[in-house]
Structure formats: structure tokens, C-alpha cells
Amino acid sequence: MGDFTLIGRLGAGGMGQVFLGRSAGGRAAAVKVVKAALADDPEFRARFRQEVAALHRVGGEGTAAVLDADTEAAAPWVATEYVPGPSLHQVVESGYGPLPEATLRALAGRLAGALGAIHGAGLVHRDLKPSNILLTVDGPRIIDFGIARALETAVGSVRTSTGVVLGSPGFMSPEQVRGQRVTPAADMFSLGCVLVYAATGRLPFGSVESGPHALMFRAAEEDPDLTGVPQTLIDPVTACLAKDPQRRPTAEQLAMRTRADVDGPWLPAELLAELGRLANRILTAETPPQVAPAEGAVRESPAKRPRQSPAPPTLSTRRRWWPALAAVLALAAVATGAALVLRDGGEKDRATGGVPSATVSVSVSSSAGPRIADAFVGAWEGVIEGANELPKRVLRVEISPGSPGDKAVAYIDTDGDVQCTGRGKLLSTDADTVVVGTGQVTAGVPQGRCTPLPQQTLTVRSRDVLVWKSGGLTADFYRSAGGQNAVPDQYVGTWVPANAVYREKEVLQITQGPVGGRLVLMSVTAGMDDGTEQFCDSTFAIGAVSPVLALSPATYTAASGKGCREPSSVFFSAGRDGHLLLYSMAADAEPAEFVRKT
């Protein structure tokens, strides 16, 4: 294709086939070749021509730059640079797991910047998802943009075809689901879904096992589950996931809100080391004497190709890097998994994951074995140290459908002066028992203080009670509320101390929202020995809602001095006459009593 030699086929999608290519100068490229049925459609070809011109204008900012294209060829094609890095899907699903908070903030800001460049060129991606985001040492790169709109124009009737919708369930905006006009705001909704996935390892509107139509319905009609998303990202992610496109931030606005320029690396050391090993394999690989084209590769007729004498060997031809690159890409295509493509009449076709598709595509889990019984699915909470009336440590676990090997259990562990959020991989399950492996910490307050939760075993005692065991501890866990309205109504509102002396010095506000949200604000004004006053404003993340409202250590948002109390976890319980009792998990002091502000 042009100056590119096609080494092997990487996969196929709604547009056509994608090949690993090498330029005459040795540069790697992803070469996308349009399928014949679309190439014969004049309307598609005209749109494809416009889109390729727009891709050139993006300029490679946070994207894979366009290297060359031929929109007039019998088989139109476009070549973009190959980005040496795994996809976000590979990293989260089958490798590292959910990303740490600092990396998430950098990911959000840089993806927003890349979308800004795409939107500025007059493009809408329309299929932003983890397999279309590659992670490199220099930052994330968005790939496979600009083609979906051309494909949509050519197959306008596809909107009315059975079971076909443009986009990927789990990451589609409500307007895409409803077949309405799509604007850059649709990409911002998809970005919100991507960030939830990167932070938690799961989709915000349910698992893929529930089916594509259920995912699309929830995206259009229901609130997302943001449990496990770091508090610093709750607000921007919530804004991106607004149902009304007009209420979502633009890419530029989100980039400003999540700016995370750091002096050091943006990726965790473990991922950087893996990228370093990949680069070493690429740079040190020897070139074999001859490479046979992969099956399915586009070949040029020998009669049309002029015979050439072999070029004299040089340093660059002795140590080509592309054979190792081909092997790495082949493994990457397999690791990403398969995609289920729904076509006219419900026909099913399989294509390698990570390749652009303008039809519904759903990741197919590679997990095998028994599924988690429905009796376990949902949120559970229990006091694992202390008593229900005076807990010292409260744990919340949320169990999702899954099979052994899936990261199906998320948890929030509120303990004294630290609150830790994490995930665990399912080891085994049957009708009565679930065994979860050692947890992986995804966030903590304060940072750097969390340790992984040991292996957990949960056994059914009754419909609403599980027996939890871990690290020599045993507790009863009870079903708990989830979703966007998890905080019991008895806690929601504005509270002041029951003691009239302190009533003007302290105000407590508790708002409705999901567990994990920073929903509690405390404002305290204290008199100092020198006669001056000092104020301390702090917020708390909710880690559990029953039998008590368990809160993280405080995060101070404003302070006029250095006399604010040391942060520790606290919890609230309902007292007599509708009062609220505040306890500190770090002390055995008498509780502070609050009443509703009138």
C-alpha cells in the first residue's frame, strides 16, 4: 500500500482490515484498508476523503499521526503511526489493574487535550473506549478516530437495521443510543465512562454480561455507579456523564479542571518497566533473511512490481526492529480479546479486539468456570473491629457478576486514621461461598498509608446476611444500599452541635449521593489563645452507610492556620429524638451530639 509493506494482518472491523505496515525507511504503521463494499459507495468515498484531510489537521497531539493515505485507490487506505504501548483495556483487564489516582488525573487531562485537538479539527471520535487508547511513556494516545463518521454516512440505513447501533455499549452516550445528532459532547460522555473503567476496572452502567441493550438502556436512563472513583475525579467524571449534552464540559474545560502536569513519570514504575522491556526487545531484535506475508495480507501482483536488486546491507538493515514489533502486536491483538459484532438480521461476526468498529462491539470475557451466584451480587457492609454501636473498623464490599479470574469485588475499608479503596480477583465460587484473592489498593486517604486487604471468604447465612472471614477476623455482613441515593435520609441535611455554646462555631452538611463520594462538609471556627479565631473546612468521603455512616479521614479544603485537628476516620449514628451522634474511630471519647439546623 503506497510505500508501506504489509507485514501481517492485525484484525478487522466495520471499516475493513488493519495491517501492520513498514515504510521504506523502516517506520512502523497501522494501515487501515477499506472493504470493497464501502469503496464502491461514492458517498462513503467522499466522506472518507474529507475525514482523512481532517485527520491531517489534528497533527498527532495525543493521537496517532497520519503518515500517508490514498483515498482514490481501488482499495482506499490510510496509514497512521504505530504507537508502541499497550491499550488501556489490556493494562486494566489483564495486567496491572485499575490505575492509581495520580495516573488517573494525568490520563484525564491528557485525553481531554487530545479530544480538544480532534474536535478542533471538526471531528467527533464516536467510539472512544479503552481499546482505542494506548499508554506510552509520553502519555496516552487516542487511535481510530475520524472513520466512524464516514462509515455512518455511507451506511445511513444501518440506523434502522436490526440490532445495529454505531458505537460500543458501555461507552456510548445517550444521544448515540437514541440515534440522535452526535456532537463532541458524545465523546465527553465516553471519556467519563473510560475514566470510571480506568479507576475501578468496571463499567459505570453494569457489566457486559448483562448484554448490549441493557448497557445502552442504563446509559440513557440510569445513573452511573462511581464507587471506587477517587474523590478528586468525582466531580469532573459526574459532569462528563450528564445525560444532557449541554451540561457536559468541553474538552478544553475538562483539561483545565484535571490539569496534572508532573515533573516525573506519569505512569506507575511497574508499567514503565514493562514499556522499557518492550522497547529493548524492539531495538535489539535481528532481522531474519526473509519474512513471508501473513495470510490475508494484501499482495501486489508480481507482474506490476519492477524487479529490484537487493540494497547493500547497512547498520539499519542489519538490525531492523519490525520483526519483534510484529510479534508484540500479534500478542497484543490476542490479549485484547474478541469483539462481538452485531450485523443486519442479528448475524454475529468475530473480529479482533482493539480494531475500530462502527457497529455494536462487546468485549467477550475469557473467564471460564462457575459464575457468582445471584445471592452474592450487590453491596454488603459489616463492622469487623469493635461493635455496631461503637465500631473501630467498617468494611464495605460490592460484588459484581463474574467468574474465577475476574476482578469482581470492590471494597472500601474505613479503619481509624485511614480509608482504603481496592479491588479483589475472584478465586473460586459456588452456591454458598465466594473466595476473593488478596486485594489491590486503588486509592487511599491519606495517600500512601494503605495495605492490600488479605484473602476474603464470604459464606451465605441467609438472604440478607453473609459471614465474612479474612486474616483471622470474622464478621457478619448485611445488605446495603447502592447507587446515587445510598445515604439514608435520616443523615441528609445541615446539622449543628446540640450544645448551644458551640452552635455558631460548627456546621455539618451531609448531602445525598453514592458511597465513595465526598458528601460530608464540616466547617469549624475555633477561638485561639491570642484572642483571634481560626477556621477549618474539611470534607469526608463516605465509606459505608449501615449500621453507621462511616467516613474517611478529613481532607482540609480551607484553613486559616495550623491548629486544625489531625485527620482521622469518624462515623455517625442516629441518636434519640432524631439527633446525630459523631464518634471518632481513633478515640474512645464520648460522642458529639448534633441537631438539625433550623
Side-chain angles (χ1 to χ4, degrees), residues 138-220:
D138 296 326
R141 300 283 192 92
I142 297 176
I143 60 172
D144 295 335
F145 56 92
I147 305 304
R149 190 165 70 179
L151 184 61
E152 179 186 20
T153 300
V155 290
S157 61
V158 86
R159 288 196 181 281
T160 58
S161 300
T162 303
V164 181
V165 179
L166 296 172
S168 296
F171 302 94
M172 293 170 64
S173 66
E175 55 268 33
Q176 286 177 284
V177 170
R178 299 184 180 113
Q180 297 171 340
R181 178 173 176 266
V182 174
T183 67
D187 286 347
M188 302 310 296
F189 188 93
S190 299
L191 178 55
C193 296
V194 165
L195 293 175
V196 173
Y197 174 84
T200 67
R202 55 176 172 73
L203 304 179
F205 296 102
S207 64
V208 295
E209 287 83 359
S210 60
H213 294 93
L215 283 174
M216 291 189 288
F217 172 83
R218 292 173 187 149

Side-chain angles (χ1 to χ4, degrees), residues 71-269:
T71 60
E72 309 307 319
W77 57 272
V78 57
T80 59
E81 66 174 323
Y82 167 68
V83 180
S87 72
L88 178 61
H89 172 85
Q90 288 173 274
V91 168
V92 173
E93 191 69 20
S94 58
Y96 181 85
L99 302 178
E101 184 172 355
T103 299
L104 288 169
R105 288 186 59 81
L107 180 72
R110 297 181 188 192
L111 288 179
L115 285 177
I118 294 171
H119 297 163
L123 293 171
V124 180
H125 191 293
R126 295 170 182 259
D127 198 20
L128 186 69
K129 56 186 176 181
S131 59
N132 282 340
I133 297 169
L134 304 182
L135 306 185
T136 75
V137 174
D138 296 326
R141 300 283 192 92
I142 297 176
I143 60 172
D144 295 335
F145 56 92
I147 305 304
R149 190 165 70 179
L151 184 61
E152 179 186 20
T153 300
V155 290
S157 61
V158 86
R159 288 196 181 281
T160 58
S161 300
T162 303
V164 181
V165 179
L166 296 172
S168 296
F171 302 94
M172 293 170 64
S173 66
E175 55 268 33
Q176 286 177 284
V177 170
R178 299 184 180 113
Q180 297 171 340
R181 178 173 176 266
V182 174
T183 67
D187 286 347
M188 302 310 296
F189 188 93
S190 299
L191 178 55
C193 296
V194 165
L195 293 175
V196 173
Y197 174 84
T200 67
R202 55 176 172 73
L203 304 179
F205 296 102
S207 64
V208 295
E209 287 83 359
S210 60
H213 294 93
L215 283 174
M216 291 189 288
F217 172 83
R218 292 173 187 149
E221 303 295 339
E222 297 183 359
D223 293 327
D225 182 1
L226 303 185
T227 303
V229 176
Q231 302 309 313
T232 55
L233 287 175
I234 286 288
D235 288 343
V237 168
T238 300
C240 286
L241 295 179
K243 304 299 184 190
D244 182 357
Q246 299 297 325
R247 297 180 57 191
R248 299 174 203 151
T250 64
E252 292 78 8
Q253 290 169 339
L254 184 64
M256 292 295 295
R257 293 180 64 177
T258 57
R259 180 175 294 171
D261 299 328
V262 293
D263 296 330
W266 79 285
L267 287 172

Side-chain angles (χ1 to χ4, degrees), residues 8 10 74 80 84 102 129 154 235 272 295 298 302 312 359 380 382 398 447 543 582 588 595:
L10 299 178
T80 59
K129 56 186 176 181
D235 288 343
L272 287 174
E295 182 180 352
V298 177
T359 54
W380 303 83
E398 295 195 8
Q447 293 185 4
L582 181 152
D588 293 325
V595 297

Side-chain angles (χ1 to χ4, degrees), residues 35 61 86 107 109 137 140 173 193 196 215 282 308 313-314 344-345 352 382-383 400 405 437 451 477 482 562 568 595:
K35 61 176 61 174
E61 180 182 346
L107 180 72
V137 174
S173 66
C193 296
V196 173
L215 283 174
I282 292 174
Q308 295 181 345
T314 64
D344 290 33
T352 53
V383 175
S400 302
T451 57
F477 275 36
K562 298 181 179 180
S568 64
V595 297

Side-chain angles (χ1 to χ4, degrees), residues 386-412:
N388 283 357
E389 298 77 17
L390 192 64
K392 296 298 181 183
R393 184 180 177 190
V394 178
L395 181 67
R396 176 184 174 93
V397 296
E398 295 195 8
I399 304 175
S400 302
S403 298
D406 293 341
K407 294 176 180 176
V409 178
Y411 67 85
I412 303 178

Side-chain angles (χ1 to χ4, degrees), residues 299-307:
R299 303 168 186 261
E300 186 174 349
S301 170
K304 296 181 181 179
R305 179 182 296 167
R307 299 182 60 87

Side-chain angles (χ1 to χ4, degrees), residues 39-51:
D40 292 337
D41 187 322
E43 190 173 9
F44 171 85
R45 191 180 286 268
R47 173 61 76 180
F48 182 69
R49 189 182 302 118
Q50 296 174 19
E51 296 302 324

